[in-house]
Amino acid sequence: MDEILGTAHTWFLESYQQGPYGDLVIRLVEGIKGSERKPVHVDNKVLGPYFPVTIEPSSRCVALRFKSVRAVFTFVESFDTGSLGLAMPQGKFVHRVDESEFRHFVGKATAAVEEYKGEFTEWLIWTEDQLFQVIASSPPEILLEATAPDLSIKRGNTWSAS
Protein backbone atom coordinates (compact mmCIF):
# COMPACT_ATOMS: atom_id res chain seq x y z
CA MET A 1 0.00 0.00 0.00
CA ASP A 2 2.74 2.45 0.95
CA GLU A 3 5.09 1.48 -1.91
CA ILE A 4 4.90 4.94 -3.47
CA LEU A 5 3.80 6.94 -0.44
CA GLY A 6 6.36 5.40 1.92
CA THR A 7 9.28 6.68 -0.15
CA ALA A 8 8.49 10.32 0.70
CA HIS A 9 9.23 12.24 3.88
CA THR A 10 5.60 13.42 4.02
CA TRP A 11 2.58 14.33 1.87
CA PHE A 12 0.38 17.42 1.62
CA LEU A 13 -3.15 17.64 0.28
CA GLU A 14 -3.27 19.03 -3.24
CA SER A 15 -7.02 18.57 -3.85
CA TYR A 16 -9.90 16.14 -3.59
CA GLN A 17 -13.09 15.66 -5.52
CA GLN A 18 -16.05 13.34 -5.78
CA GLY A 19 -18.85 13.41 -8.29
CA PRO A 20 -22.29 11.92 -7.81
CA TYR A 21 -21.90 8.14 -7.79
CA GLY A 22 -18.29 8.64 -8.82
CA ASP A 23 -14.93 7.81 -7.43
CA LEU A 24 -13.39 9.84 -4.62
CA VAL A 25 -10.00 11.09 -5.78
CA ILE A 26 -7.58 12.52 -3.22
CA ARG A 27 -4.53 14.16 -4.78
CA LEU A 28 -1.38 14.49 -2.70
CA VAL A 29 1.92 16.25 -3.28
CA GLU A 30 5.25 15.24 -1.79
CA GLY A 31 6.83 17.26 1.00
CA ILE A 32 10.62 17.31 0.66
CA LYS A 33 12.77 17.69 3.77
CA GLY A 34 15.54 20.27 3.44
CA SER A 35 19.16 19.32 4.01
CA GLU A 36 20.05 22.15 6.39
CA ARG A 37 18.58 22.81 9.84
CA LYS A 38 17.21 26.30 10.47
CA PRO A 39 15.85 28.08 13.54
CA VAL A 40 12.07 28.30 13.81
CA HIS A 41 10.63 31.58 15.10
CA VAL A 42 7.28 31.29 16.92
CA ASP A 43 6.08 34.51 18.52
CA ASN A 44 9.10 35.67 20.54
CA LYS A 45 10.63 32.20 20.88
CA VAL A 46 13.27 30.50 18.78
CA LEU A 47 12.83 26.75 18.46
CA GLY A 48 14.94 24.12 16.79
CA PRO A 49 16.89 24.19 14.67
CA TYR A 50 14.70 21.98 12.46
CA PHE A 51 14.68 20.88 8.85
CA PRO A 52 12.19 22.80 6.67
CA VAL A 53 9.74 20.65 4.71
CA THR A 54 8.59 22.22 1.46
CA ILE A 55 6.84 21.46 -1.79
CA GLU A 56 9.29 21.83 -4.64
CA PRO A 57 8.81 21.85 -8.43
CA SER A 58 10.30 18.33 -8.36
CA SER A 59 7.78 17.06 -5.74
CA ARG A 60 5.88 14.00 -6.89
CA CYS A 61 2.11 13.99 -7.13
CA VAL A 62 -0.09 10.96 -6.44
CA ALA A 63 -3.80 10.22 -6.66
CA LEU A 64 -5.63 7.95 -4.25
CA ARG A 65 -8.76 6.67 -6.00
CA PHE A 66 -11.57 5.09 -3.97
CA LYS A 67 -14.43 3.32 -5.78
CA SER A 68 -17.98 2.85 -4.49
CA VAL A 69 -17.55 5.28 -1.61
CA ARG A 70 -20.18 4.86 1.11
CA ALA A 71 -19.11 7.67 3.47
CA VAL A 72 -16.36 10.29 3.84
CA PHE A 73 -15.31 12.39 6.82
CA THR A 74 -12.55 14.96 6.46
CA PHE A 75 -11.11 17.72 8.60
CA VAL A 76 -8.05 19.94 8.95
CA GLU A 77 -5.16 18.00 10.51
CA SER A 78 -4.49 20.63 13.19
CA PHE A 79 -7.95 19.89 14.67
CA ASP A 80 -7.06 16.22 15.35
CA THR A 81 -7.56 15.36 19.01
CA GLY A 82 -6.13 11.86 18.77
CA SER A 83 -9.43 10.45 20.02
CA LEU A 84 -11.05 9.22 16.82
CA GLY A 85 -11.55 5.80 18.43
CA LEU A 86 -9.44 4.09 15.78
CA ALA A 87 -8.28 0.48 15.84
CA MET A 88 -5.89 -0.08 12.97
CA PRO A 89 -2.68 -1.84 12.01
CA GLN A 90 0.39 0.31 11.55
CA GLY A 91 0.80 2.43 8.45
CA LYS A 92 2.48 5.68 7.63
CA PHE A 93 0.08 7.68 5.47
CA VAL A 94 -2.73 5.30 4.50
CA HIS A 95 -4.14 3.07 7.23
CA ARG A 96 -6.76 0.34 6.98
CA VAL A 97 -9.13 0.90 9.92
CA ASP A 98 -10.68 -2.07 11.70
CA GLU A 99 -12.81 -0.06 14.14
CA SER A 100 -13.69 3.63 14.58
CA GLU A 101 -16.16 6.08 16.04
CA PHE A 102 -16.81 7.23 12.46
CA ARG A 103 -17.96 3.73 11.49
CA HIS A 104 -20.32 3.66 14.49
CA PHE A 105 -21.68 7.10 13.56
CA VAL A 106 -22.25 6.06 9.93
CA GLY A 107 -23.97 2.87 11.12
CA LYS A 108 -26.30 4.78 13.46
CA ALA A 109 -27.00 7.81 11.27
CA THR A 110 -27.33 6.16 7.85
CA ALA A 111 -28.00 2.87 6.08
CA ALA A 112 -24.75 3.23 4.09
CA VAL A 113 -23.06 0.30 5.83
CA GLU A 114 -26.11 -1.79 6.80
CA GLU A 115 -27.52 -1.96 3.27
CA TYR A 116 -24.21 -2.30 1.46
CA LYS A 117 -24.08 -5.49 -0.60
CA GLY A 118 -20.63 -7.05 -0.42
CA GLU A 119 -17.52 -6.18 1.51
CA PHE A 120 -16.43 -2.71 2.52
CA THR A 121 -13.29 -1.34 4.11
CA GLU A 122 -12.50 1.78 6.09
CA TRP A 123 -9.38 3.88 5.56
CA LEU A 124 -7.62 6.75 7.28
CA ILE A 125 -5.53 9.00 5.04
CA TRP A 126 -3.17 11.29 6.93
CA THR A 127 -1.53 14.32 5.31
CA GLU A 128 0.30 17.27 6.82
CA ASP A 129 -2.79 19.42 6.42
CA GLN A 130 -5.90 17.21 6.17
CA LEU A 131 -7.26 13.90 7.50
CA PHE A 132 -9.75 11.68 5.67
CA GLN A 133 -11.78 8.72 6.88
CA VAL A 134 -13.29 6.81 3.97
CA ILE A 135 -15.63 3.82 3.85
CA ALA A 136 -15.50 2.23 0.40
CA SER A 137 -15.88 -1.08 -1.42
CA SER A 138 -12.14 -1.67 -1.76
CA PRO A 139 -8.71 -0.31 -0.86
CA PRO A 140 -7.62 2.84 -2.66
CA GLU A 141 -5.74 2.61 -5.91
CA ILE A 142 -2.57 4.72 -5.57
CA LEU A 143 -1.30 6.22 -8.81
CA LEU A 144 1.80 8.28 -9.46
CA GLU A 145 0.72 11.20 -11.65
CA ALA A 146 2.75 12.88 -14.36
CA THR A 147 1.76 16.35 -13.19
CA ALA A 148 3.62 19.14 -11.45
CA PRO A 149 2.53 20.35 -8.01
CA ASP A 150 0.37 23.43 -7.72
CA LEU A 151 2.85 25.86 -6.19
CA SER A 152 0.23 28.63 -6.01
CA ILE A 153 -1.47 26.97 -3.00
CA LYS A 154 -0.60 28.94 0.13
CA ARG A 155 0.58 26.65 2.89
CA GLY A 156 1.90 27.12 6.38
CA ASN A 157 5.49 26.25 7.26
CA THR A 158 6.24 22.66 8.21
CA TRP A 159 9.35 21.48 10.01
CA SER A 160 10.97 18.14 10.80
CA ALA A 161 13.03 17.43 13.90
CA SER A 162 14.72 14.37 12.41
Side-chain angles (χ1 to χ4, degrees):
M1 178 66 59
D2 274 340
E3 293 170 5
I4 296 171
L5 298 177
T7 62
H9 178 73
T10 195
W11 294 92
F12 291 86
L13 177 65
E14 186 88 349
S15 68
Y16 64 97
Q17 71 180 52
Q18 180 182 14
Y21 309 106
D23 297 349
L24 169 66
V25 179
I26 302 170
R27 289 190 167 79
L28 307 178
V29 61
E30 179 182 21
I32 298 174
K33 184 174 86 172
S35 59
E36 184 179 319
R37 290 180 184 265
K38 297 181 179 183
V40 178
H41 300 275
V42 178
D43 296 324
N44 293 328
K45 297 178 185 175
V46 177
L47 307 174
Y50 297 121
F51 295 100
V53 179
T54 57
I55 296 169
E56 303 295 329
S58 62
S59 292
R60 295 174 294 167
C61 297
V62 297
L64 283 69
R65 183 178 306 275
F66 288 92
K67 296 183 180 191
S68 299
V69 173
R70 305 306 286 180
V72 179
F73 175 56
T74 185
F75 59 94
V76 174
E77 192 274 341
S78 62
F79 296 143
D80 180 19
T81 65
S83 62
L84 297 173
L86 299 171
M88 60 190 176
Q90 293 294 72
K92 193 169 180 182
F93 303 108
V94 176
H95 310 262
R96 182 179 171 140
V97 177
D98 297 328
E99 185 69 29
S100 74
E101 293 296 325
F102 175 59
R103 185 181 302 201
H104 291 289
F105 167 76
V106 170
K108 287 180 183 177
T110 74
V113 173
E114 177 183 309
E115 293 188 13
Y116 187 70
K117 309 294 187 239
E119 296 292 318
F120 69 89
T121 54
E122 182 180 351
W123 298 88
L124 174 74
I125 294 83
W126 178 89
T127 73
E128 286 289 334
D129 36 20
Q130 194 83 5
L131 291 173
F132 293 85
Q133 284 181 264
V134 179
I135 296 176
S137 66
S138 59
E141 182 180 13
I142 301 175
L143 306 165
L144 189 59
E145 295 190 316
T147 59
D150 182 350
L151 300 176
S152 70
I153 297 173
K154 294 183 184 198
R155 302 179 189 273
N157 294 328
T158 302
W159 303 89
S160 175
S162 59

